Structures are given as structure tokens and as C-alpha cells.
Amino acid sequence: MDSPHKPRSFSPNLFFFILLVSSNLLTFFISNTFKNSSCSLYQQTYKAIATTSLNTAIPFVVEPEIRDDAVHVSDKPAADLDLPSEFLAFTSPQQLPFGVNPNFNSDKLIPPVGRPCTMFPDLLRRYMSYKINGSCPDDELLAQKLLLKGCEPLPRRRCRPAAQQEYVEPYPLPESLWATPSDSSVVWTAYTCKSCECLINRKKNQKAFDDCKDCFDLNGREKTRWSSKKGAGLDFSIDEVLAVKKAGTIRIGLDIGGGVATFAVRMRERNITILTTSMNLNGPFNTFIASRGVVPLYISISQRLPFFDNTLDIVHSMHVLSNWIPTTLLHFLLFDIYRVLRPGGLFWLDHFFCVGEQFEQVYAPLIDSIGFNKVKWVIGRKMDRGPELNEMYLSALLEKPLKNSW
């Protein structure tokens, strides 16, 4: 016969209560024991990274990561990559001092650099070889060579660039707009000419090809370019183009490959701000542009335009956009121009050069595919090398649709 006094079973609720209290006590003990040491460990690690970045390369690189909320860092030694230590110091993930930044969705910052930079390690090594906190090499030609090979943007450097020996302050505005700057405003090492006088006369004295050979003569063709009140044929005038829109609504814009920025100067005289992209192809174009009192952008035609969508009133380009650009790249570029123009903005394609059959078969359909409205469309023969070559120009004024541009 069973006993009437059965042993009482252990309550599950009591068991879980004891377990919860024990775990909390253990957590409290651990946190008090290690809280100071963890902070110290973080500070030591951060100091080590900072010290390393000042002297040597950080010995790891970013590799592809499946997750998009974290940066995967490989432990692959930098020496195995055969890349300059300063390049790796710049491009390696940098720890953010305050931890995860919600804007980056990461606790690290990865500086941007052109992907093809690593395809030219010898050039890159020369470019990134310098004394930290010292003077940079006088290597403008090397830098431009890297940039034109696709290393764009170039990596930042921790050195001071080559500068003029005895710099003279520029002319004040508005005098600077049409004044030839002092020779002391230019570092001449990278150029055939060593003075502004040489640049002005090189059309007469140099037989070799130079980009925009007569641009530096501000009293020559530049003085009359776009200055007439009314255009003729392929040569639209600025006033003619501005008259297409309501007065005052063309305010800011871009000139792609604008030589010495005479277009920007003409527009500034009309209270319109134009930035000018230019390379320094055997001439100090960017320095010369800045000396005139307008803003240069040292970027190639391969670079994505550094403007937000739907912001510019006008984009202009003369001669630069032509059939020398690979068709696919040109297609991307035209869509990039469309992107940065606001609805109702104008694209002035000034003297686009190609051969007759190319125009009908390639370029007219390509331009049509972008989605611009045609305001002006003028085709003319290019006769300077003879009619048998069937060369031609297109000058067009195109408008991004004011409505339904997306």
C-alpha cells in the first residue's frame, strides 16, 4: 500500500528563478572585473593603428564581403600585394573614433580611389613614394599619366605639392578675366613652354600638335569667341542660347573640356557661374583658368560628374565630345550629363565632330536615345582637311524635358 505522504516535486518556477538570479550575479561580477581593461584594450588598439598609419602601411586590405552591414578585413600581408605602403595606408579601412556611424552603416571609413590604380603598380609606387609631412615630388606628368589610365580619383598624399618659387598675387576681378597671368603663377616643369609668352606664341612657333594650341592668347580668337549677339550656322551665341529660357533661370552650369575657360568667363560677365573641366595636356590649363578668376575641375571625361542629380541649369562642351571617344563611354557620358541637368536644363553640344556615315548610323540615334528635346540642331561640313573626307560638325541645343524626364 502506498504511503499517503508522497514527496513534493521541486517547483519548475523556483528553479528558473534561482537560475535567473545566478546569471545576473555572474554578469555583474564579470562586467565590474573587465570594464576598465576592455576600454584600455580599445585605446591601445586605436593608438597602435594610428601610429602604424603614420609610419607604415596597415597590413590588411578590404576584400569582398557577403554582408553589406560590415567591412570584412583580410589578414593578407601588405607586402604580398606589391603595392606602396602609403597607398595601402590611405586605402585601408580607417576605424571611426566614435564607433558605428549610421550614415556609413559601419564603424569604418574606406577612402575612395580609382580601381585601375592597382593595375599600374610601378607608376603608383613612384607616385606614392615621398617623405610623410615633407615635400611631394615635382611629378605632375606622372600624376596625370596615372589619372588618364583610369586611376581616378588619385589617392591622397601626405606631402606638400610642388609650388612656384616666387608667387605673385593674381590680378583682381574683373581685370583678371582677360589678363594674362604672371609667369610666377605656374610650375613649368611639366610643359614644353616655360613662360606665358611661349604659350601665346606656340601656334606660330610649334609644329607639333598641342591641345587647344591658341587658347592662351586672350587677345586672339578667345577675345571674340561666343561674343556676338546672334549666332550664325554652327556657331551659336551665348545670348541666343540664354534667350531660349526665362531671364535669370540659367544660373549655374558646367563646361566640359573648356580650354582656358573663356566660356565660363563669358558667362560670368552675365552673372552665371560655370565650372570648367580641363586636363593639363602640355599646358597649365587648370592654373591658367584659376588665375582668370573662374573655377577649374581637374577631371577627365571618364570621371562621373561630381554633381547631384537634377541640379545644373546648363552643360556645354565644344570639340571635346566627338568620335574619338569610344561609343559606349560616350553613351554613359551623355546620360551623366542628362542626370546632372535639372528638368528644363540645357545641353549645348558645340561642334561635335564625326564622319558623315557615322553620324547617321551611330551618333544621331545615340543622342536621340538619351531623351532630350531638340531646341536647335545644325549640321555642317568640316572642310579644313578637304571635302573628300566627308567630315562634319553637329551643333545642337538640347533640353531636358521639364515634365516626365524620368
Side-chain angles (χ1 to χ4, degrees), residues 53-170:
S53 66
L54 287 174
N55 300 290
T56 59
I58 299 175
F60 41 69
V61 295
V62 181
E63 291 187 344
E65 167 70 7
I66 297 175
R67 293 172 53 198
D68 61 1
D69 60 344
V71 176
H72 174 68
V73 179
S74 168
D75 59 356
K76 187 175 183 179
D80 292 349
L81 298 174
D82 196 28
L83 293 172
S85 60
E86 271 294 274
F87 177 77
L88 293 170
F90 172 65
T91 57
S92 296
Q94 306 292 315
Q95 188 76 38
L96 292 171
F98 302 109
V100 174
N101 185 309
N103 294 321
F104 301 136
N105 195 26
S106 174
D107 63 348
K108 297 178 179 65
L109 191 151
I110 304 176
V113 70
R115 182 186 64 83
C117 293
T118 58
M119 297 169 60
F120 307 98
D122 293 338
L123 294 177
L124 188 62
R125 189 174 300 105
R126 288 169 54 195
Y127 180 71
M128 296 301 290
S129 296
Y130 54 85
K131 182 180 179 181
I132 297 175
N133 299 329
S135 298
C136 299
D138 187 356
D139 57 0
E140 181 186 329
L141 280 176
L142 172 64
Q144 184 164 263
K145 182 181 292 186
L146 265 173
L147 191 150
L148 291 175
K149 287 180 176 293
C151 184
E152 188 176 23
L154 289 166
R156 285 176 171 167
R157 300 196 288 189
R158 295 185 284 186
C159 56
R160 289 177 285 276
Q164 302 84 339
Q165 292 296 320
E166 297 180 2
Y167 185 79
V168 176
E169 292 283 343

Side-chain angles (χ1 to χ4, degrees), residues 268-306:
R268 193 186 191 285
E269 292 170 340
R270 293 160 173 81
N271 295 319
I272 299 169
T273 300
I274 299 292
L275 276 64
T276 304
T277 76
S278 187
M279 301 301 297
N280 292 334
L281 301 177
N282 200 23
F285 288 92
N286 281 267
T287 306
F288 199 92
I289 290 169
S291 296
R292 297 184 75 179
V294 288
V295 181
L297 284 178
Y298 186 55
I299 60 174
S300 75
I301 56 108
S302 300
Q303 173 80 309
R304 187 178 193 264
L305 297 176

Side-chain angles (χ1 to χ4, degrees), residues 163-169 182-188:
Q164 302 84 339
Q165 292 296 320
E166 297 180 2
Y167 185 79
V168 176
E169 292 283 343
S182 166
D183 288 348
S184 68
S185 66
V186 179
V187 177
W188 294 97

Side-chain angles (χ1 to χ4, degrees), residues 376-394:
K376 291 179 68 70
W377 185 272
V378 179
I379 301 168
R381 297 292 298 275
K382 183 177 182 293
M383 304 293 289
D384 58 324
R385 299 200 303 167
E388 65 278 2
L389 295 179
N390 194 27
E391 295 174 331
M392 60 187 302
Y393 281 128
L394 165 68

Side-chain angles (χ1 to χ4, degrees), residues 12-68:
N13 292 336
L14 180 61
F15 171 78
F16 284 117
F17 174 75
I18 295 172
L19 182 63
L20 179 63
V21 171
S22 301
S23 62
N24 286 340
L25 288 173
L26 181 62
T27 302
F28 178 76
F29 171 78
I30 292 174
S31 64
N32 277 279
T33 303
F34 295 105
K35 68 177 181 179
N36 293 327
S37 61
S38 64
C39 181
S40 174
L41 178 62
Y42 172 80
Q43 290 174 349
Q44 291 173 4
T45 304
Y46 183 80
K47 287 179 181 178
I49 291 174
T51 304
T52 303
S53 66
L54 287 174
N55 300 290
T56 59
I58 299 175
F60 41 69
V61 295
V62 181
E63 291 187 344
E65 167 70 7
I66 297 175
R67 293 172 53 198
D68 61 1

Side-chain angles (χ1 to χ4, degrees), residues 229-347:
K229 291 292 182 183
K230 187 175 181 180
L234 292 162
D235 300 315
F236 305 163
S237 74
I238 286 178
D239 292 332
E240 178 185 11
V241 169
L242 295 181
V244 169
K245 308 299 289 185
K246 183 180 178 181
T249 59
I250 301 297
R251 307 150 301 156
I252 56 173
L254 175 70
D255 189 17
I256 298 174
V260 294
T262 294
F263 180 81
V265 168
R266 291 289 184 202
M267 296 293 262
R268 193 186 191 285
E269 292 170 340
R270 293 160 173 81
N271 295 319
I272 299 169
T273 300
I274 299 292
L275 276 64
T276 304
T277 76
S278 187
M279 301 301 297
N280 292 334
L281 301 177
N282 200 23
F285 288 92
N286 281 267
T287 306
F288 199 92
I289 290 169
S291 296
R292 297 184 75 179
V294 288
V295 181
L297 284 178
Y298 186 55
I299 60 174
S300 75
I301 56 108
S302 300
Q303 173 80 309
R304 187 178 193 264
L305 297 176
F307 306 101
F308 190 64
D309 304 354
N310 305 306
T311 52
L312 301 185
D313 299 317
I314 189 168
V315 173
H316 171 266
S317 184
M318 183 175 186
H319 292 304
V320 173
L321 302 186
S322 290
N323 66 347
W324 71 272
I325 301 175
T327 306
T328 300
L329 179 59
L330 181 63
H331 201 197
F332 275 105
L333 177 54
L334 292 176
F335 264 109
D336 205 25
I337 292 170
Y338 187 93
R339 175 185 65 81
V340 300
L341 282 171
R342 63 165 174 82
L346 298 176
F347 174 35

